[in-house]
Amino acid sequence: MMMADTVETLDVAALRAALGERAVVLVGMMGSGKSSVGKRLGARLGLAFVDADTEIETAAGMSIPDIFAQRGETEFRDGERRVIARILTTRAPLVLATGGGAYMNADTRARIAELGVSIWLKADFDVLMRRVRKRSNRPLLRTADPEGTMRRLLAEREPVYGQADITVISSDDPHEIVVEAALAELERVTSIR
């Protein structure tokens, strides 16, 4: 089926009804496009979009790099878990973009499985590196070897991301193509649940 066919035949109202009160939760590496795709996906579904990182910064009263620097990754991850749980239990249905490490937490994965449909935005190493180089606010990449760190994180995280309900490739194609692929997969997955 061609992408244009998918766009024309997608019944957004039926998809929304099939989702019910569940959240659509985007997971994946930093730079995979969770925020950009999430905003567009929320607009297509007529759902609010929430970026977990923004919510964490608001709750902490400081930026994520500052949280890492002042409180450490362990405290950041604990706050991340609490914020995502709160969002899922009080604000769904919505589209939620999580931070790259959020899905690594077993409690967060369980909460997402209970209250949402997870979509892994899977991007190749080269795509990720091109995207993350555009921003300097990636605490985990503030190392002597950012590329080596990214490869290590990919190796650790991809098996866990693979537990998501849906996998959609996030390439250098326009984000709208990724959104339409996600919608088609959401339609398929919700029709069999």
Side-chain angles (χ1 to χ4, degrees), residues 7 14 24 26 30 53 99 105 119 165:
V7 173
V24 176
L26 301 176
M30 62 184 104
D53 284 350
N105 181 282
I119 301 176
D165 299 310

Side-chain angles (χ1 to χ4, degrees), residues 4 13 45 49 55 91 95 113 115 130 135 140 145 156 164 192:
L45 289 169
F49 168 74
E55 297 291 316
R91 294 169 69 179
V95 174
L115 301 171
R130 268 194 305 278
R135 297 172 63 194
L140 293 179
D145 182 14
E156 291 170 3
I192 60 175

Side-chain angles (χ1 to χ4, degrees), residues 10-188:
L10 181 70
D11 184 344
V12 174
L15 179 52
R16 281 283 309 274
L19 283 169
E21 294 300 309
R22 289 180 289 174
V24 176
V25 183
L26 301 176
V27 302
M29 287 296 295
M30 62 184 104
S32 63
K34 298 180 299 289
S35 295
S36 299
V37 169
K39 289 174 190 170
R40 291 167 174 83
L41 186 59
R44 286 280 280 129
L45 289 169
L47 292 173
F49 168 74
V50 174
D51 187 308
D53 284 350
T54 301
E55 297 291 316
I56 291 163
E57 289 179 334
T58 299
M62 64 178 70
S63 71
I64 289 173
D66 287 344
I67 298 169
F68 268 77
Q70 295 176 27
R71 299 180 182 170
E73 184 175 2
T74 301
E75 190 168 327
F76 169 78
R77 295 294 176 202
D78 189 49
E80 179 179 57
R81 178 191 50 75
R82 289 191 316 269
V83 166
I84 290 172
R86 178 179 46 79
I87 292 167
L88 289 172
T89 56
T90 63
R91 294 169 69 179
L94 78 159
V95 174
L96 175 64
T98 63
Y103 203 63
M104 299 304 290
N105 181 282
D107 291 340
T108 298
R109 283 195 310 277
R111 185 62 59 101
I112 291 169
E114 174 190 354
L115 301 171
V117 177
S118 53
I119 301 176
W120 173 23
L121 293 185
K122 183 178 182 180
D124 291 334
F125 172 81
D126 291 335
V127 170
L128 295 170
M129 288 308 298
R130 268 194 305 278
R131 291 177 180 171
V132 299
R133 283 188 179 115
K134 295 176 185 177
R135 297 172 63 194
S136 62
N137 65 340
R138 311 285 185 174
L140 293 179
L141 294 182
R142 290 183 177 168
T143 66
D145 182 14
E147 289 187 1
T149 301
M150 179 68 83
R151 287 187 194 284
R152 179 183 54 77
L153 289 170
L154 276 168
E156 291 170 3
R157 292 178 177 181
E158 284 194 336
V160 178
Y161 293 152
Q163 297 175 32
D165 299 310
I166 296 169
T167 300
V168 173
I169 301 301
S170 178
S171 64
D172 282 333
D173 291 329
H175 288 306
E176 288 75 14
I177 291 174
V178 179
V179 169
E180 295 307 323
L183 287 167
E185 286 299 304
L186 274 169
E187 185 177 48
R188 182 186 64 77

